[in-house]
Amino acid sequence: ESLSLTEARVPFSTLLSNLASWDIHPPLYYVLLHGWVALAGASAPVLRLPSVLFGTACVPLLYLVGRRLVGPRAALLAAALGAASPFWVGHSDEARMYPLYLFASLAALWALLRAAERRDPGGWIAYGLITGVSLYTHYFAILMIPVHLTYLLAIRAPRRVFYAWAAAGGMAALTFVPWLLFLASRRGGLSGIGSL
């Protein structure tokens, strides 16, 4: 939390430089926290409020994902277990990016389920954008991509769905390119990114 507060208080350009040169996290959470601290102050409750809100918003989002995957009863149970999870509650009470990462990952999964079901271009665009946002929350968000592919394979999605998924994934990757280029410029080239 002290690292989050330190990053939230520095000037914006310094924040991005710090994240690219010595911190190991993508910028979205810190940028949001930077703006939040400028508006609301930096007391412990205020600093933790974004995490509380994102952690709380994950409960209904988990229900929506579960309802699409397994039905309303199992989704309700999953949401209740999530809401009572000590690990989830603990992270939702800290000024760190993990609740935002969970929220963005669940939102990307929900968008995938919806796009695969409806098969409209707008749904795939939403999926690509939300997946791109999730990449800006934590580098581990990239691990959700194979999970999404596995889901499509498990439901035996038609070939056109895989093409749409690949195009949306390409869009997500393109949204992340500016950060990768910035990282490369601050870390001495593309080889410096590998040290993350």
Side-chain angles (χ1 to χ4, degrees):
E1 289 186 315
S2 62
L3 175 63
S4 297
L5 179 59
T6 300
E7 293 294 359
R9 286 182 163 170
V10 298
F12 188 73
S13 60
T14 304
L15 166 68
L16 292 179
S17 292
N18 288 352
L19 292 173
S21 60
W22 62 268
D23 200 333
I24 58 167
H25 296 98
L28 182 60
Y29 173 77
Y30 293 108
V31 168
L32 293 174
L33 192 64
H34 180 81
W36 175 245
V37 165
L39 284 173
S43 68
V46 169
L47 193 64
R48 292 175 177 161
L49 186 60
S51 292
V52 170
L53 295 175
F54 282 115
T56 302
C58 288
V59 175
L61 196 50
L62 180 59
Y63 173 80
L64 292 174
V65 167
R67 188 177 71 189
R68 282 198 182 265
L69 285 174
V70 292
R73 290 180 65 195
L76 188 60
L77 177 62
L81 289 173
S85 165
F87 189 69
W88 189 339
V89 171
H91 277 293
S92 296
D93 191 33
E94 294 179 350
R96 298 297 288 154
M97 79 290 307
Y98 304 111
L100 175 59
Y101 165 54
L102 179 60
F103 180 82
S105 295
L106 284 170
L109 181 55
W110 179 80
L112 170 74
L113 299 174
R114 192 165 182 257
E117 180 182 292
R118 294 187 179 184
R119 299 182 186 165
D120 67 297
W124 289 109
I125 291 170
Y127 166 70
L129 291 174
I130 295 168
T131 301
V133 166
S134 73
L135 293 171
Y136 276 95
T137 63
H138 202 287
Y139 293 117
F140 284 171
I142 200 165
L143 299 175
M144 290 304 295
I145 305 294
V147 171
H148 297 169
L149 176 60
T150 302
Y151 169 75
L152 294 176
L153 290 169
I155 65 167
R156 299 174 193 244
R159 186 172 291 171
R160 67 180 179 277
V161 170
F162 284 99
Y163 292 146
W165 173 79
M171 183 174 54
L174 283 176
T175 64
F176 201 58
V177 166
W179 178 246
L180 292 177
L181 292 174
F182 184 75
L183 275 177
S185 73
R186 297 299 174 134
R187 297 181 75 87
L190 293 176
S191 61
I193 294 175
S195 67
L196 289 173

